[in-house]
Amino acid sequence: MNTNMGHEDWASYLADFSTRNKGRLARVELFDSSGAQEEANHVPLDNISIEMKGEEAPRVTILLTDDAGSDVRHLTYTVAHVRRVMPSAGASGHEHALEIEDRAGALTILRMQS
């Protein structure tokens, strides 16, 4: 099930999404005019937030934190000028992905892994 929501719901949805999925392993993929690229794989989600004011607004920031090894890695992905946020869930209603599209049509997909 995919649900496209209005921009007025983005901030509260993303805050709730972060709470529900914090610590879950995630994969970040980018799809744009140059093709597809995997940015991160099997890294725990720390937070996802949105800034609704400013020059690049709306701007979504995805923070992944990997502290399993001897070094803590923080991976940050930012999508500026967001025009669409669309969660995707399976038949059970369990969230498995979040699509974020910018005004140029580039798509960032945050896939939640088991």
Side-chain angles (χ1 to χ4, degrees):
M1 169 179 43
N2 293 344
T3 306
N4 196 4
M5 70 183 80
H7 70 277
E8 65 278 358
D9 299 323
W10 293 350
S12 63
Y13 177 80
L14 292 176
D16 291 343
F17 184 93
S18 287
T19 300
R20 285 189 305 275
N21 292 291
K22 184 175 179 73
R24 264 184 89 185
L25 295 179
R27 182 170 68 217
V28 176
E29 301 169 293
L30 302 178
F31 299 87
D32 61 17
S33 60
S34 63
Q37 182 175 338
E38 183 178 87
E39 293 291 309
N41 194 11
H42 286 85
V43 182
L45 176 67
D46 192 346
N47 188 44
I48 183 166
S49 61
I50 190 163
E51 177 61 46
M52 296 301 284
K53 296 180 181 179
E55 193 173 305
E56 295 183 329
R59 183 180 67 237
V60 170
T61 302
I62 301 168
L63 176 62
L64 305 174
T65 301
D66 184 2
D67 60 1
S70 59
D71 293 326
V72 175
R73 293 184 312 145
H74 297 283
L75 306 172
T76 303
Y77 302 95
T78 303
V79 182
H81 308 289
V82 173
R83 74 173 179 192
R84 183 174 65 94
V85 173
M86 189 167 76
S88 181
S92 67
H94 190 58
E95 295 165 318
H96 59 82
L98 183 64
E99 297 180 3
I100 305 161
E101 185 178 8
D102 70 15
R103 71 177 174 200
L107 187 62
T108 299
I109 301 179
L110 174 65
R111 295 189 193 278
M112 305 314 298
Q113 301 169 316
S114 302

